[in-house]
Amino acid sequence: MIGNVTSLSETVHAAIDHARRSHQSCVVSKIEELNRILPLDFYQRAGRLYSGQRCYWSDSSGELQLVGAGITAMISTQQEDAAVQVRQAQARLFRNAYTLGTQRVAGTGPIFLGGFSFDSKKERAEMWQNFGSAYFILPEFLLTVHHGRCYLTHTILCRPNDDVAERVGALEAQPHELFNNVFHAEPDTHDQQLLDQNDQDQDTWCRLVAEAVQTLQETPMKKIVLARARSLIYQRKLSRHALLRVLSEQQKGTCIFCLEKGSAAFIGATPERLIKKSGRSIESACLAGSAARGKTQQEDDEFGKWLLNDGKNLKEHQYVVESVRDALNALCTSLSIPKQPVLMKNKNIQHLYTPVKGRCKSATSLIDLVARLHPTPALGGLPKKDAMAWIRTHEAMDRGFYASPIGWVDSGDHGEFDVGIRAALLRGNEAVLFAGCGVLADSDPIQEYQETDVKFQPMQHALMRGTL
């Protein structure tokens, strides 16, 4: 981050001067602390001006919420080396960044929010075409709520031939619709009617699982993760902000996200962190092995006890632990990983969970960590390369951003990426839900099909709410 200038005019003048000398656009951000604004109200208001150009991200603790509106800069690629391109583009823009106002608060200033596709080598399906192999935006307006304190970052680009006064005016301008104190977000009150539901044929999917089992029995491969989709058609266009409100209420303890790209939006409530970076401190999570929640406390305890002792689920979980350890060892100077998993209980499902903490090498970036970890055996399989090749040639659908890294990174290389599961792609009045399961050599296709049914529930229950 550049510059020690103090006034708005001086900052913009310095940025334009730097742009002229470097022949590259410069980012200028103004950060100010605000009175409390409810993030989902801000997201809803932004829809009036920036529909299709919004993003939302809330960590699993709810202590950090980010809402982006408008696009100052975009990183979008269809190429296979998406992580390299994203890292280089982010570094270039952050290197030419000037910031004025409140600083040293993670998640403020110029940040990129977005994600990667699950498999950059997979041919893009029509519904994922606009998202490409990677899609990130640097919002024009960013609302950050951090431990109860509220910040607004307004970011513009300054180009070599820009006029200082015009750019200062652009940075001072704030759309009335975003900050009108009289405005009150009103929930949608009309009942939605589900018109149609389409699932992949159960027999076809179970044959695919059986084929994966046979492959695992006949080759050195240890695990293949398979996924399927469910399409829900509703009477009217689905409301993104209403669905975010429902997920925030129903799915406590998860990372809730929404990434818009024009008429489509990828939205979910994921329990699985891929990587969090603050300075050189990193946190990851091993999440594999699943069971339903019980209808009574006794039944729930029994399901949890079974999960903690089930050989198939424990083996599946251990594969993830070993893979995450191997991936991070190369980029970290220290790692702390408990020997035994515990239960993570969400509203509709419980998982085996092992937290990971460590300290990365000084030259390691957050995008480096993302690229090294994705996909873990919880999302792809083991060995990674062989499993990805098998999925690419055998799984009929394009996962797009499902089961992929979704998150944010700021100019200090702080940030977090979570895994885009328990998610749906919204397009008009259609919601396409995704769910997957880990297949081992002793897996039963019917049981795996039933497991994916359980994993559809968080999003499907949210969509059933009448406010949508």
PDB file of all heavy atoms in Angstrom, residues 305-326:
ATOM      1  N   LYS A 305     -22.558 -40.398  18.430  1.00  0.00           N
ATOM      2  CA  LYS A 305     -21.711 -41.476  18.930  1.00  0.00           C
ATOM      3  C   LYS A 305     -21.374 -42.454  17.814  1.00  0.00           C
ATOM      4  O   LYS A 305     -20.219 -42.912  17.687  1.00  0.00           O
ATOM      5  CB  LYS A 305     -22.414 -42.206  20.074  1.00  0.00           C
ATOM      6  CG  LYS A 305     -21.575 -43.313  20.709  1.00  0.00           C
ATOM      7  CD  LYS A 305     -22.316 -43.966  21.869  1.00  0.00           C
ATOM      8  CE  LYS A 305     -21.486 -45.068  22.506  1.00  0.00           C
ATOM      9  NZ  LYS A 305     -22.223 -45.718  23.637  1.00  0.00           N
ATOM     10  N   TRP A 306     -22.377 -42.763  16.988  1.00  0.00           N
ATOM     11  CA  TRP A 306     -22.130 -43.660  15.845  1.00  0.00           C
ATOM     12  C   TRP A 306     -21.094 -43.051  14.911  1.00  0.00           C
ATOM     13  O   TRP A 306     -20.171 -43.724  14.463  1.00  0.00           O
ATOM     14  CB  TRP A 306     -23.443 -43.899  15.090  1.00  0.00           C
ATOM     15  CG  TRP A 306     -23.235 -44.608  13.774  1.00  0.00           C
ATOM     16  CD1 TRP A 306     -23.113 -45.942  13.565  1.00  0.00           C
ATOM     17  CD2 TRP A 306     -23.074 -43.975  12.495  1.00  0.00           C
ATOM     18  NE1 TRP A 306     -22.891 -46.201  12.236  1.00  0.00           N
ATOM     19  CE2 TRP A 306     -22.867 -45.016  11.547  1.00  0.00           C
ATOM     20  CE3 TRP A 306     -23.098 -42.655  12.053  1.00  0.00           C
ATOM     21  CZ2 TRP A 306     -22.679 -44.757  10.192  1.00  0.00           C
ATOM     22  CZ3 TRP A 306     -22.906 -42.402  10.703  1.00  0.00           C
ATOM     23  CH2 TRP A 306     -22.701 -43.438   9.787  1.00  0.00           C
ATOM     24  N   LEU A 307     -21.224 -41.741  14.622  1.00  0.00           N
ATOM     25  CA  LEU A 307     -20.311 -41.081  13.703  1.00  0.00           C
ATOM     26  C   LEU A 307     -18.873 -41.103  14.230  1.00  0.00           C
ATOM     27  O   LEU A 307     -17.924 -41.326  13.468  1.00  0.00           O
ATOM     28  CB  LEU A 307     -20.776 -39.631  13.476  1.00  0.00           C
ATOM     29  CG  LEU A 307     -19.976 -38.787  12.475  1.00  0.00           C
ATOM     30  CD1 LEU A 307     -19.970 -39.442  11.097  1.00  0.00           C
ATOM     31  CD2 LEU A 307     -20.569 -37.376  12.385  1.00  0.00           C
ATOM     32  N   LEU A 308     -18.713 -40.883  15.535  1.00  0.00           N
ATOM     33  CA  LEU A 308     -17.380 -40.859  16.136  1.00  0.00           C
ATOM     34  C   LEU A 308     -16.710 -42.235  16.150  1.00  0.00           C
ATOM     35  O   LEU A 308     -15.497 -42.328  16.370  1.00  0.00           O
ATOM     36  CB  LEU A 308     -17.460 -40.321  17.568  1.00  0.00           C
ATOM     37  CG  LEU A 308     -17.679 -38.813  17.708  1.00  0.00           C
ATOM     38  CD1 LEU A 308     -18.032 -38.460  19.147  1.00  0.00           C
ATOM     39  CD2 LEU A 308     -16.439 -38.041  17.259  1.00  0.00           C
ATOM     40  N   ASN A 309     -17.504 -43.283  15.898  1.00  0.00           N
ATOM     41  CA  ASN A 309     -16.955 -44.639  15.962  1.00  0.00           C
ATOM     42  C   ASN A 309     -17.099 -45.422  14.662  1.00  0.00           C
ATOM     43  O   ASN A 309     -16.705 -46.589  14.594  1.00  0.00           O
ATOM     44  CB  ASN A 309     -17.649 -45.423  17.089  1.00  0.00           C
ATOM     45  CG  ASN A 309     -17.281 -44.905  18.467  1.00  0.00           C
ATOM     46  OD1 ASN A 309     -16.243 -45.249  19.020  1.00  0.00           O
ATOM     47  ND2 ASN A 309     -18.138 -44.065  19.025  1.00  0.00           N
ATOM     48  N   ASP A 310     -17.646 -44.786  13.629  1.00  0.00           N
ATOM     49  CA  ASP A 310     -17.862 -45.496  12.369  1.00  0.00           C
ATOM     50  C   ASP A 310     -16.568 -45.556  11.564  1.00  0.00           C
ATOM     51  O   ASP A 310     -15.953 -44.521  11.260  1.00  0.00           O
ATOM     52  CB  ASP A 310     -18.955 -44.785  11.553  1.00  0.00           C
ATOM     53  CG  ASP A 310     -19.204 -45.476  10.232  1.00  0.00           C
ATOM     54  OD1 ASP A 310     -19.673 -46.623  10.238  1.00  0.00           O
ATOM     55  OD2 ASP A 310     -18.888 -44.868   9.177  1.00  0.00           O
ATOM     56  N   GLY A 311     -16.163 -46.767  11.202  1.00  0.00           N
ATOM     57  CA  GLY A 311     -14.887 -46.964  10.521  1.00  0.00           C
ATOM     58  C   GLY A 311     -14.795 -46.240   9.197  1.00  0.00           C
ATOM     59  O   GLY A 311     -13.767 -45.623   8.879  1.00  0.00           O
ATOM     60  N   LYS A 312     -15.859 -46.290   8.383  1.00  0.00           N
ATOM     61  CA  LYS A 312     -15.835 -45.651   7.064  1.00  0.00           C
ATOM     62  C   LYS A 312     -15.660 -44.147   7.207  1.00  0.00           C
ATOM     63  O   LYS A 312     -14.855 -43.521   6.522  1.00  0.00           O
ATOM     64  CB  LYS A 312     -17.115 -45.988   6.307  1.00  0.00           C
ATOM     65  CG  LYS A 312     -17.151 -45.468   4.867  1.00  0.00           C
ATOM     66  CD  LYS A 312     -17.897 -44.166   4.725  1.00  0.00           C
ATOM     67  CE  LYS A 312     -18.006 -43.722   3.277  1.00  0.00           C
ATOM     68  NZ  LYS A 312     -18.622 -42.392   3.120  1.00  0.00           N
ATOM     69  N   ASN A 313     -16.421 -43.521   8.093  1.00  0.00           N
ATOM     70  CA  ASN A 313     -16.344 -42.075   8.270  1.00  0.00           C
ATOM     71  C   ASN A 313     -15.014 -41.642   8.888  1.00  0.00           C
ATOM     72  O   ASN A 313     -14.451 -40.610   8.516  1.00  0.00           O
ATOM     73  CB  ASN A 313     -17.517 -41.588   9.125  1.00  0.00           C
ATOM     74  CG  ASN A 313     -18.804 -41.469   8.332  1.00  0.00           C
ATOM     75  OD1 ASN A 313     -18.977 -40.550   7.543  1.00  0.00           O
ATOM     76  ND2 ASN A 313     -19.718 -42.416   8.540  1.00  0.00           N
ATOM     77  N   LEU A 314     -14.501 -42.435   9.831  1.00  0.00           N
ATOM     78  CA  LEU A 314     -13.211 -42.109  10.442  1.00  0.00           C
ATOM     79  C   LEU A 314     -12.075 -42.200   9.421  1.00  0.00           C
ATOM     80  O   LEU A 314     -11.163 -41.368   9.411  1.00  0.00           O
ATOM     81  CB  LEU A 314     -12.937 -43.035  11.623  1.00  0.00           C
ATOM     82  CG  LEU A 314     -13.768 -42.778  12.887  1.00  0.00           C
ATOM     83  CD1 LEU A 314     -13.577 -43.907  13.896  1.00  0.00           C
ATOM     84  CD2 LEU A 314     -13.385 -41.438  13.517  1.00  0.00           C
ATOM     85  N   LYS A 315     -12.144 -43.219   8.558  1.00  0.00           N
ATOM     86  CA  LYS A 315     -11.129 -43.356   7.519  1.00  0.00           C
ATOM     87  C   LYS A 315     -11.206 -42.177   6.551  1.00  0.00           C
ATOM     88  O   LYS A 315     -10.179 -41.589   6.175  1.00  0.00           O
ATOM     89  CB  LYS A 315     -11.339 -44.669   6.761  1.00  0.00           C
ATOM     90  CG  LYS A 315     -10.275 -44.931   5.696  1.00  0.00           C
ATOM     91  CD  LYS A 315     -10.647 -46.119   4.814  1.00  0.00           C
ATOM     92  CE  LYS A 315     -10.763 -47.403   5.607  1.00  0.00           C
ATOM     93  NZ  LYS A 315     -11.067 -48.560   4.707  1.00  0.00           N
ATOM     94  N   GLU A 316     -12.422 -41.821   6.148  1.00  0.00           N
ATOM     95  CA  GLU A 316     -12.617 -40.689   5.239  1.00  0.00           C
ATOM     96  C   GLU A 316     -12.076 -39.402   5.863  1.00  0.00           C
ATOM     97  O   GLU A 316     -11.425 -38.584   5.193  1.00  0.00           O
ATOM     98  CB  GLU A 316     -14.111 -40.549   4.934  1.00  0.00           C
ATOM     99  CG  GLU A 316     -14.448 -39.485   3.917  1.00  0.00           C
ATOM    100  CD  GLU A 316     -15.945 -39.418   3.633  1.00  0.00           C
ATOM    101  OE1 GLU A 316     -16.696 -40.308   4.103  1.00  0.00           O
ATOM    102  OE2 GLU A 316     -16.366 -38.461   2.966  1.00  0.00           O
ATOM    103  N   HIS A 317     -12.320 -39.223   7.167  1.00  0.00           N
ATOM    104  CA  HIS A 317     -11.847 -38.023   7.854  1.00  0.00           C
ATOM    105  C   HIS A 317     -10.320 -38.011   7.952  1.00  0.00           C
ATOM    106  O   HIS A 317      -9.687 -36.973   7.748  1.00  0.00           O
ATOM    107  CB  HIS A 317     -12.466 -37.949   9.251  1.00  0.00           C
ATOM    108  CG  HIS A 317     -12.136 -36.683   9.977  1.00  0.00           C
ATOM    109  ND1 HIS A 317     -12.820 -35.513   9.765  1.00  0.00           N
ATOM    110  CD2 HIS A 317     -11.175 -36.393  10.895  1.00  0.00           C
ATOM    111  CE1 HIS A 317     -12.309 -34.561  10.523  1.00  0.00           C
ATOM    112  NE2 HIS A 317     -11.303 -35.073  11.216  1.00  0.00           N
ATOM    113  N   GLN A 318      -9.739 -39.144   8.232  1.00  0.00           N
ATOM    114  CA  GLN A 318      -8.286 -39.207   8.382  1.00  0.00           C
ATOM    115  C   GLN A 318      -7.572 -38.893   7.075  1.00  0.00           C
ATOM    116  O   GLN A 318      -6.494 -38.275   7.076  1.00  0.00           O
ATOM    117  CB  GLN A 318      -7.864 -40.594   8.891  1.00  0.00           C
ATOM    118  CG  GLN A 318      -6.394 -40.704   9.259  1.00  0.00           C
ATOM    119  CD  GLN A 318      -5.982 -39.718  10.350  1.00  0.00           C
ATOM    120  OE1 GLN A 318      -6.783 -39.373  11.216  1.00  0.00           O
ATOM    121  NE2 GLN A 318      -4.742 -39.255  10.315  1.00  0.00           N
ATOM    122  N   TYR A 319      -8.171 -39.274   5.938  1.00  0.00           N
ATOM    123  CA  TYR A 319      -7.598 -38.926   4.647  1.00  0.00           C
ATOM    124  C   TYR A 319      -7.478 -37.405   4.510  1.00  0.00           C
ATOM    125  O   TYR A 319      -6.480 -36.889   3.997  1.00  0.00           O
ATOM    126  CB  TYR A 319      -8.473 -39.461   3.515  1.00  0.00           C
ATOM    127  CG  TYR A 319      -8.398 -40.957   3.304  1.00  0.00           C
ATOM    128  CD1 TYR A 319      -9.424 -41.631   2.645  1.00  0.00           C
ATOM    129  CD2 TYR A 319      -7.304 -41.696   3.733  1.00  0.00           C
ATOM    130  CE1 TYR A 319      -9.372 -42.997   2.424  1.00  0.00           C
ATOM    131  CE2 TYR A 319      -7.236 -43.067   3.531  1.00  0.00           C
ATOM    132  CZ  TYR A 319      -8.285 -43.717   2.875  1.00  0.00           C
ATOM    133  OH  TYR A 319      -8.229 -45.066   2.665  1.00  0.00           O
ATOM    134  N   VAL A 320      -8.516 -36.692   4.957  1.00  0.00           N
ATOM    135  CA  VAL A 320      -8.502 -35.229   4.856  1.00  0.00           C
ATOM    136  C   VAL A 320      -7.431 -34.649   5.772  1.00  0.00           C
ATOM    137  O   VAL A 320      -6.676 -33.753   5.381  1.00  0.00           O
ATOM    138  CB  VAL A 320      -9.883 -34.650   5.194  1.00  0.00           C
ATOM    139  CG1 VAL A 320      -9.836 -33.119   5.173  1.00  0.00           C
ATOM    140  CG2 VAL A 320     -10.933 -35.165   4.215  1.00  0.00           C
ATOM    141  N   VAL A 321      -7.347 -35.144   6.995  1.00  0.00           N
ATOM    142  CA  VAL A 321      -6.350 -34.648   7.949  1.00  0.00           C
ATOM    143  C   VAL A 321      -4.943 -34.816   7.383  1.00  0.00           C
ATOM    144  O   VAL A 321      -4.125 -33.879   7.411  1.00  0.00           O
ATOM    145  CB  VAL A 321      -6.474 -35.374   9.297  1.00  0.00           C
ATOM    146  CG1 VAL A 321      -5.316 -35.000  10.228  1.00  0.00           C
ATOM    147  CG2 VAL A 321      -7.808 -35.040   9.966  1.00  0.00           C
ATOM    148  N   GLU A 322      -4.657 -35.997   6.864  1.00  0.00           N
ATOM    149  CA  GLU A 322      -3.321 -36.260   6.326  1.00  0.00           C
ATOM    150  C   GLU A 322      -3.026 -35.374   5.117  1.00  0.00           C
ATOM    151  O   GLU A 322      -1.907 -34.856   4.963  1.00  0.00           O
ATOM    152  CB  GLU A 322      -3.206 -37.738   5.939  1.00  0.00           C
ATOM    153  CG  GLU A 322      -3.234 -38.679   7.140  1.00  0.00           C
ATOM    154  CD  GLU A 322      -3.350 -40.136   6.736  1.00  0.00           C
ATOM    155  OE1 GLU A 322      -3.459 -40.397   5.504  1.00  0.00           O
ATOM    156  OE2 GLU A 322      -3.346 -41.009   7.615  1.00  0.00           O
ATOM    157  N   SER A 323      -4.013 -35.160   4.270  1.00  0.00           N
ATOM    158  CA  SER A 323      -3.816 -34.345   3.082  1.00  0.00           C
ATOM    159  C   SER A 323      -3.583 -32.884   3.443  1.00  0.00           C
ATOM    160  O   SER A 323      -2.692 -32.231   2.877  1.00  0.00           O
ATOM    161  CB  SER A 323      -5.038 -34.464   2.162  1.00  0.00           C
ATOM    162  OG  SER A 323      -4.912 -33.601   1.053  1.00  0.00           O
ATOM    163  N   VAL A 324      -4.380 -32.351   4.372  1.00  0.00           N
ATOM    164  CA  VAL A 324      -4.213 -30.960   4.798  1.00  0.00           C
ATOM    165  C   VAL A 324      -2.844 -30.776   5.451  1.00  0.00           C
ATOM    166  O   VAL A 324      -2.147 -29.781   5.204  1.00  0.00           O
ATOM    167  CB  VAL A 324      -5.351 -30.547   5.742  1.00  0.00           C
ATOM    168  CG1 VAL A 324      -5.055 -29.197   6.403  1.00  0.00           C
ATOM    169  CG2 VAL A 324      -6.674 -30.475   4.981  1.00  0.00           C
ATOM    170  N   ARG A 325      -2.433 -31.736   6.281  1.00  0.00           N
ATOM    171  CA  ARG A 325      -1.117 -31.661   6.925  1.00  0.00           C
ATOM    172  C   ARG A 325      -0.009 -31.634   5.856  1.00  0.00           C
ATOM    173  O   ARG A 325       0.906 -30.801   5.921  1.00  0.00           O
ATOM    174  CB  ARG A 325      -0.906 -32.845   7.852  1.00  0.00           C
ATOM    175  CG  ARG A 325       0.477 -32.817   8.534  1.00  0.00           C
ATOM    176  CD  ARG A 325       0.766 -34.093   9.287  1.00  0.00           C
ATOM    177  NE  ARG A 325      -0.073 -34.235  10.471  1.00  0.00           N
ATOM    178  CZ  ARG A 325      -0.997 -35.157  10.634  1.00  0.00           C
ATOM    179  NH1 ARG A 325      -1.221 -36.052   9.663  1.00  0.00           N
ATOM    180  NH2 ARG A 325      -1.715 -35.223  11.729  1.00  0.00           N
ATOM    181  N   ASP A 326      -0.092 -32.510   4.881  1.00  0.00           N
ATOM    182  CA  ASP A 326       0.934 -32.570   3.842  1.00  0.00           C
ATOM    183  C   ASP A 326       0.969 -31.281   3.024  1.00  0.00           C
ATOM    184  O   ASP A 326       2.043 -30.774   2.677  1.00  0.00           O
ATOM    185  CB  ASP A 326       0.686 -33.764   2.924  1.00  0.00           C
ATOM    186  CG  ASP A 326       0.920 -35.100   3.619  1.00  0.00           C
ATOM    187  OD1 ASP A 326       1.544 -35.094   4.697  1.00  0.00           O
ATOM    188  OD2 ASP A 326       0.462 -36.128   3.087  1.00  0.00           O
TER     189      ASP A 326
END
